[in-house]
Amino acid sequence: MHISEGVLSAPVLVSGAVIAVAGCAIGLKKIDYDHIVHVAMLAAVFFVASLIHVNIGPSSAHLILNGIIGLLLGFAAFPAIFIALLLQAVFFQYGGLTVLGANVVIMALPAVMVHYLFLPLLGKSPRLSIAAGALSGAGAIFLSSLILSAALWLTEKNFFETCVLVMAANIPIMIIEGIVTGFCVTFLLKVYPEIIPGQKNGNTSDRKSRIEKGQKNEV
Amino acid sequence: MKYKALWVLCVLICLVAAKDVSAHKVIVFAWVEDGMIHTESSFGSKKKAKDCPIQVIDEKGTVVHEGVTDDQGNYVFKIPDQVDSDLVIRLDAGTGHSATWKLSHDELVTPGDENHLAASMEEKQKFESGPSPLKIMGGIGIIFLLALLTGYLRKKKKTHD
């Protein structure tokens, strides 16, 4: 999903950088003090998940996890994904620095979109939650593929052909991410619902509520 | 039980179907041997870039040669005639993935000795090596350091207000 250096035209790179900076600014503004550790944790997950390639026989696959990151962080996914991609570009030469903005938009914008599309469905019923989680995972990859195709189209002008190639290459990842995200959401709803915005105490106040609970127990 | 089997089946199908999914790091490596330019293209050391177009571009930006990699990600061709500049080998691995490798003019006109070839191979291995655990841990460390710094600055700001 990382676009390499030298592929996109200058206007696409500049537009990507501008959108990425705007997204990061909004994201940073929206992160509150209690939420910072979650953002760092998910940025680290994204950083590592993109590195792990699972080889089984002749095949190989890797996770992106922008769906679950978007569900949990909303706009804060922008700075989280930006930092992870920046470190990947510097340390491992994945993607590149000039194309960083475009890569951030390709992975973070769908994350924010699935947050607003599927978060309201979580916690309503177990089946709906797993479906919403799975759709978030698969949907984020689908939207990322669409933005990637558009970025390549704006450079090469053959949208349909590019789109078909990108979608075909990413269908297996969509399905894997759908399954993984569906399970992750179900697991988190059971063991740590506070991390999901809007669930029980929501992630912005879970620390305060725990402190309050602790104080009550002490009394 | 029926559903569990279905899940396992889905995962297996995906993993088998995922064989053509491109990885992040695209590499093309080239060296000169016996008057021929040898190229090797891969997505990291194990996964080869098969059937990918290769372009050879001179300093003026003119494409002087074109070809396609084989099943092993290799492509070998004769040094183009009348080359008077460095050459850039450009691999197009599709869907936004590309890589380049520069061959200097000296390398093209001087017959390569064994030492030079060994140095090139060492460079290739270094280039193809995967991420080291130290770099991965370093990256995670930097992320948490940044989070600590942001937290500290936010707290300081709150205290000021």
Side-chain angles (χ1 to χ4, degrees):
Chain A
M1 197 64 81
H2 298 57
I3 294 186
S4 308
E5 300 250 29
V7 172
L8 297 178
S9 62
V12 179
L13 291 175
V14 173
S15 311
V18 169
I19 299 169
V21 167
C24 285
I26 298 169
L28 283 171
K29 218 172 180 183
K30 289 203 170 194
I31 301 172
D32 61 33
Y33 182 77
D34 300 322
H35 203 176
I36 289 168
V37 177
H38 292 160
V39 178
M41 208 167 65
L42 288 162
V45 166
F46 182 89
F47 174 71
V48 176
S50 302
L51 293 173
I52 299 169
H53 292 252
V54 184
N55 291 312
I56 298 177
S59 63
S60 120
H62 65 87
L63 297 175
I64 296 170
L65 295 181
N66 56 344
I68 185 82
I69 289 170
L71 266 186
L72 300 181
L73 297 183
F75 257 104
F78 260 98
I81 289 175
F82 168 76
I83 292 294
L85 285 177
L86 174 67
L87 290 170
Q88 284 182 353
V90 172
F91 283 171
F92 316 123
Q93 293 78 51
Y94 289 179
L97 290 178
T98 58
V99 83
L100 183 63
N103 279 332
V104 169
V105 174
I106 287 166
M107 291 181 224
L109 192 59
V112 176
M113 288 161 90
V114 297
H115 175 87
Y116 289 104
L117 279 172
F118 298 110
L119 189 69
L121 304 176
L122 293 187
K124 302 229 178 212
S125 78
R127 279 189 181 185
L128 195 59
S129 296
I130 197 166
L135 284 171
S136 303
I141 301 296
F142 175 79
L143 292 167
S144 289
S145 305
L146 215 58
I147 298 172
L148 172 65
S149 306
L152 292 172
W153 168 63
L154 288 166
T155 302
E156 295 172 0
K157 308 283 178 199
N158 51 347
F159 181 71
F160 187 72
E161 196 186 323
T162 313
C163 195
V164 168
L165 274 173
V166 174
M167 288 292 171
N170 284 298
I171 283 172
I173 299 292
M174 278 178 218
I175 301 169
I176 294 171
E177 292 251 347
I179 295 167
V180 170
T181 311
F183 276 118
C184 279
V185 165
T186 316
F187 181 72
L188 287 172
L189 279 169
K190 277 181 188 162
V191 300
Y192 189 23
E194 296 92 341
I195 199 172
I196 301 173
Q199 297 301 310
K200 290 190 177 170
N201 297 314
N203 60 13
T204 53
S205 57
D206 57 334
R207 190 165 160 263
K208 282 177 198 165
S209 66
R210 281 179 187 184
I211 292 167
E212 281 164 15
K213 271 182 198 169
Q215 283 169 348
K216 274 179 194 171
N217 288 342
E218 277 172 24
V219 173
Chain B
M1 188 65 199
K2 193 170 67 179
Y3 289 111
K4 273 185 188 172
L6 196 64
W7 281 121
V8 172
L9 190 69
C10 282
V11 173
L12 283 175
I13 289 168
C14 295
L15 289 172
V16 172
K19 67 180 176 184
D20 291 326
V21 174
S22 304
H24 308 295
K25 195 175 178 178
V26 188
I27 300 163
V28 60
F29 174 75
W31 71 97
V32 180
E33 201 178 346
D34 302 330
M36 306 290 276
I37 296 175
H38 295 251
T39 69
E40 270 186 30
S41 308
S42 65
F43 299 100
S45 58
K46 284 177 188 168
K47 195 161 163 42
K48 305 297 178 191
K50 302 170 190 171
D51 306 322
C52 295
I54 288 224
Q55 283 187 328
V56 185
I57 303 160
D58 67 10
E59 258 180 3
K60 291 170 195 161
T62 315
V63 178
V64 294
H65 185 85
E66 282 181 298
V68 178
T69 60
D70 63 14
D71 279 355
Q72 294 302 310
N74 300 330
Y75 180 63
V76 183
F77 58 99
K78 198 172 167 282
I79 298 173
D81 297 329
Q82 296 168 335
V83 173
D84 54 359
S85 71
D86 297 346
L87 290 179
V88 172
I89 315 287
R90 189 175 189 277
L91 168 78
D92 179 4
T95 61
H97 295 90
S98 81
T100 56
W101 186 270
K102 196 173 181 179
L103 282 172
S104 69
H105 186 243
D106 290 347
E107 218 175 326
L108 294 166
V109 292
T110 318
D113 57 18
E114 276 187 16
N115 289 342
H116 182 75
L117 197 62
S120 298
M121 288 300 151
E122 203 177 306
E123 197 178 354
K124 176 191 161 228
Q125 277 177 356
K126 198 174 149 190
F127 208 63
E128 283 186 342
S129 63
S132 70
L134 192 71
K135 280 185 175 177
I136 297 172
M137 294 313 290
I140 295 170
I142 290 172
I143 290 170
F144 280 96
L145 270 174
L146 284 171
L148 270 175
L149 186 72
T150 316
Y152 171 75
L153 291 173
R154 286 277 167 96
K155 201 174 181 183
K156 208 174 164 186
K157 200 180 166 192
K158 254 187 191 177
T159 326
H160 254 279
D161 293 340

